[in-house]
Amino acid sequence: MTWKASIDGHQCMASGMCAGIAPGLFVLDGPHARPLKEEIPEDEDALDAADSCPAMAILIRDGDTVVGPRP
């Protein structure tokens, strides 16, 4: 199974938290971070990155269900 990762460029403040927590999934690219791929493996690091984002800019979906950030 795969999840879909997205980062809202309007919210992202390029703190680098996501790339630090999950360097295989996210990268800083200019003024914003981005996922390395839209589809990512189900990975606890992806959820940790979404949970840790200070701007709450990361969204992880499993189909139509939002799985990250966690409540």
Side-chain angles (χ1 to χ4, degrees), residues 5-6 10 25 28 35 38-39 55-56 58 60:
S6 62
H10 291 98
L25 302 173
L28 287 178
E38 180 184 356
E39 290 190 359
M56 300 299 290
I58 301 172
I60 309 293

Side-chain angles (χ1 to χ4, degrees), residues 3-69:
W3 290 340
K4 291 195 180 213
S6 62
I7 296 180
D8 183 331
H10 291 98
Q11 287 182 264
C12 179
M13 56 192 269
S15 73
M17 291 289 289
C18 58
I21 291 170
L25 302 173
F26 301 97
V27 65
L28 287 178
D29 190 16
H32 305 293
R34 67 173 175 81
L36 290 170
K37 298 178 182 174
E38 180 184 356
E39 290 190 359
I40 61 172
E42 292 183 17
D43 189 322
E44 187 70 21
D45 287 346
L47 297 177
D48 289 344
D51 293 345
S52 299
C53 177
M56 300 299 290
I58 301 172
L59 191 62
I60 309 293
R61 293 183 179 273
D62 183 2
D64 291 334
T65 303
V66 173
V67 293

